[in-house]
Amino acid sequence: MGAKFKSVDEYIGTFPEEVQSILTTLRQTIKQAAPQAEELISYNMPAFKQNGFLVSYAAWKKHIGMYPVPAGDQAFQKAIAPFTTEKSTAQFPLNQPMPLKLIAQLVAFRLKENNKRVQSTSKK
């Protein structure tokens, strides 16, 4: 079993410089899309939560994995179709530019879902 990360900075710091740069840009993109979200390490990966779990991401040998990918939204499914997806996970290849606009949309979509869920729960 690998190291247990205590912070996102520690996690990012374990990768080669070019991957660190990608992870840092991804982190900033998520923070801009959800500025109120809390950043944490969850399942030993960087994650964000706001009104519940929002997203997490991880660097792998050839891609960045992002979790979860919303299901059921046709426009979003079409936008993410060029990427490998599996069980609510998207894989963004490291040898291609990160689809930052799509990632920001994913985070905004998840935030909207979380906010709706919290609002509907509070009305009961």
Side-chain angles (χ1 to χ4, degrees), residues 4 17 24-25 27 34 36 41 45 47 49 51 53 58 62 65 67 86 89 92 97 103 106 110 112 120:
K4 290 279 186 188
E17 279 187 38
T24 299
T25 301
R27 181 186 194 187
Q36 306 290 314
I41 293 290
M45 297 181 291
K49 68 179 185 176
N51 291 328
F53 179 78
K62 296 183 178 185
Y67 324 88
E86 183 177 307
T89 302
F92 304 117
I103 290 166
L106 179 148
R110 290 280 303 139
K112 197 174 179 181
S120 69

Side-chain angles (χ1 to χ4, degrees), residues 101-120:
K101 184 177 177 184
L102 178 62
I103 290 166
Q105 290 170 340
L106 179 148
V107 172
F109 187 88
R110 290 280 303 139
L111 186 57
K112 197 174 179 181
E113 285 182 325
N114 283 5
N115 289 341
K116 276 185 195 174
R117 189 186 70 251
V118 167
Q119 287 173 350
S120 69

